Amino acid sequence: MPDLHAQPSHPSSWQISSDDDDDQVPQLPPFYSPRPIPVSRAISELDLNSLSINERSIAMALGSASSSAHEDHDSDSELPGLVSPAFTPPSTPGTHTPSHHHHSQHIPKSVPVDSTAINGGCGQKKPKLLDRLPDVNCVVRARIPTTIGGSGTEMFLHLYQNSEDNKEHLAIVFGNEIRSRSLDAPREGETEMDRLIRGAYTGRLYPGRTSSRLPSESEQSAENRKKEKEPPLVRIHSECYTGETVWSARCDCGEQLDEAARLMSMPGSGGGIIIYLRQEGRGIGLGEKLKAYNLQDLGSDTVEANLLLRHPADARSYGLATAMLVDLGVQDIRLLTNNPDKVRAVEGPNREIVVKERVAMIPLAWRGKSGGIRSQEVGGYLKTKIEKMGHMLQMSENS
């Protein structure tokens, strides 16, 4: 994770150009961020080949991809990837995620990563980690029938308290075999009904049930079944009220949450875990995030807007996510992300969690799928994440 306390450079004056005119922007105070990279007003989230990127290697790759697409539109070969030049070449593990090409359900393949290796597919930066993991406690768990896929898929929603803040962070668990240790632990003076009410039971609830344990259950056999399974798919997702609730097309957060749930609820997927952290606006809160939106309308990108408000470009922390995963009894995981910093950060100070594989989050619109977000704002947002935040994101014809 980049150094969140690094100070931006202090240019004495600014000049921002646009497609319409060359108006001068008045000089700004010296605490402002470096000169922004202008985002074309013609940007399209469907075709990043139209983006203006100064890095020669990336420009050549995009040009090759464009000509290849015109020469053989139906070819099964993948186009060169769009990857941040700040990170390792496309041959590095983790920068390319091939996928199955099934029309009815898109299942991306995992790519092995190793955070202990310099070229392990996790970028070159080493994010600052907490000295120790926070204490977490699962307070209650409940079965939630969902609308995902229209098939009545069920998941278990876990609500956590912690030693770091007063927020209610969540774990969304698909599957029956992932359980919280703190939830299942006996509590002084509680009755069996108390355990049932707070969700510390096995199997399913039904009218008249009085015991939290099933008569025929075998803890040992359940543990053995867990060991035989491949590492679960995990998504570390930060709250985004605008993208998830009020239909914002400034980001792809809502789409990413939906895609994670779709992948974990598919038949034969083995389930998975979405850790839902209450850190709105990359950690700056909803009010400051809305101010940042206004700055974006004035010409800044998402990183610059945070800096203009005197916040870090990314103020999120993943120690709580690591502690929650430990409490859920997992160690090896497949992480659903494009952010190499998140791969290292979620593993914790002593690698309490080990990310074995990374699964890319390819925007639906880039895959020509219905429901994808199509807007100028989200195109600029994704471009900034690639260029300035080092996200390992690429567009490929057959993604």
Side-chain angles (χ1 to χ4, degrees):
M1 182 176 294
D3 185 359
L4 303 183
H5 301 288
Q7 296 297 318
S9 59
H10 301 155
S12 61
S13 64
W14 286 57
Q15 181 178 359
I16 303 178
S17 61
S18 69
D19 293 343
D20 296 338
D21 54 57
D22 295 325
D23 291 343
Q24 296 285 334
V25 175
Q27 289 187 350
L28 302 179
F31 63 79
Y32 277 62
S33 63
R35 176 175 178 173
I37 301 174
V39 178
S40 169
R41 293 187 179 184
I43 189 172
S44 166
E45 77 283 1
L46 293 175
D47 184 11
L48 286 195
N49 294 330
S50 66
L51 299 182
S52 174
I53 300 177
N54 294 328
E55 294 288 338
R56 174 187 291 181
S57 60
I58 302 302
M60 292 177 62
L62 290 175
S64 173
S66 177
S67 60
S68 175
H70 285 293
E71 292 173 3
D72 187 4
H73 184 271
D74 297 325
S75 172
D76 288 334
S77 61
E78 295 186 347
L79 303 181
L82 178 60
V83 182
S84 167
F87 286 83
T88 47
S91 59
T92 299
T95 62
H96 171 75
T97 303
S99 59
H100 295 292
H101 311 307
H102 196 286
H103 295 293
S104 61
Q105 53 187 20
H106 179 79
I107 309 175
K109 286 184 179 179
S110 297
V111 171
V113 293
D114 183 358
S115 66
T116 63
I118 296 179
N119 295 323
C122 305
Q124 301 296 328
K125 299 179 181 178
K126 291 186 177 181
K128 184 177 180 180
L129 302 177
L130 300 175
D131 294 331
R132 60 179 296 274
L133 293 180
D135 296 324
V136 298
N137 179 43
C138 185
V139 179
V140 62
R141 159 186 176 264
R143 180 183 65 87
I144 308 291
T146 74
T147 60
I148 301 169
S151 59
T153 298
E154 296 180 349
M155 58 84 166
F156 287 91
L157 188 60
H158 299 63
L159 187 147
Y160 276 85
Q161 293 178 344
N162 68 88
S163 59
E164 300 298 310
D165 59 41
N166 294 321
K167 298 178 181 179
E168 295 178 329
H169 302 277
L170 303 167
I172 303 169
V173 176
F174 293 85
N176 296 319
E177 296 182 5
I178 298 174
R179 300 193 58 84
S180 163
R181 296 170 178 172
S182 60
L183 180 76
D184 287 342
R187 299 181 183 176
E188 184 177 358
E190 71 175 354
T191 65
E192 280 295 286
M193 184 55 65
D194 292 332
R195 292 183 62 81
L196 292 175
I197 291 174
R198 65 181 179 85
Y201 62 86
T202 53
R204 294 177 67 93
L205 294 181
Y206 52 83
R209 182 169 174 178
T210 58
S211 173
S212 62
R213 304 177 68 85
L214 294 175
S216 59
E217 71 177 309
S218 170
E219 292 183 355
Q220 187 63 41
S221 61
E223 185 68 22
N224 291 337
R225 287 196 302 270
K226 185 186 299 183
K227 290 179 180 179
E228 293 171 0
K229 288 185 173 293
E230 66 177 352
L233 185 62
V234 171
R235 166 74 183 166
I236 311 299
H237 189 91
S238 297
E239 180 181 31
C240 179
Y241 178 82
T242 52
E244 298 160 6
T245 307
V246 296
W247 317 285
S248 170
R250 288 183 182 267
C251 67
D252 61 341
C253 300
E255 179 182 302
Q256 289 189 338
L257 182 62
D258 291 344
E259 179 68 359
R262 184 190 71 83
L263 291 173
M264 295 176 190
S265 64
M266 289 175 54
S269 67
I273 305 168
I274 300 175
I275 299 294
Y276 190 91
L277 300 177
R278 312 301 291 273
Q279 42 188 10
E280 180 78 46
R282 294 202 299 275
I284 67 174
L286 183 57
E288 294 297 281
K289 178 181 178 180
L290 296 181
K291 293 178 184 178
Y293 281 172
N294 290 332
L295 284 170
Q296 289 173 37
D297 285 343
L298 289 170
S300 301
D301 63 34
T302 181
V303 169
E304 295 156 359
N306 276 24
L307 297 177
L308 292 177
L309 293 170
R310 300 187 178 184
H311 296 298
D314 192 339
R316 291 175 295 181
S317 172
Y318 299 104
L320 283 172
T322 308
M324 291 164 68
L325 289 172
V326 170
D327 181 68
L328 289 169
V330 299
Q331 182 177 19
D332 297 341
I333 65 172
R334 295 179 296 132
L335 190 63
L336 191 57
T337 187
N338 299 321
N339 187 349
D341 291 341
K342 191 180 290 187
V343 173
R344 293 184 185 273
V346 77
E347 289 193 320
N350 299 306
R351 295 197 83 196
E352 289 87 351
I353 300 296
V354 177
V355 179
K356 292 291 189 180
E357 301 171 342
R358 184 185 70 85
V359 182
M361 295 287 282
I362 308 299
L364 293 177
W366 292 12
R367 295 192 259 123
K369 301 292 185 181
S370 61
I373 302 173
R374 296 170 175 82
S375 77
Q376 173 182 330
E377 286 86 354
V378 78
Y381 172 77
L382 293 171
K383 179 176 184 284
T384 300
K385 290 210 296 187
I386 293 170
E387 291 184 341
K388 292 190 173 182
M389 304 182 77
H391 283 216
M392 293 178 170
L393 185 61
Q394 73 168 28
M395 184 175 67
S396 140
E397 183 180 35
N398 294 318
S399 289

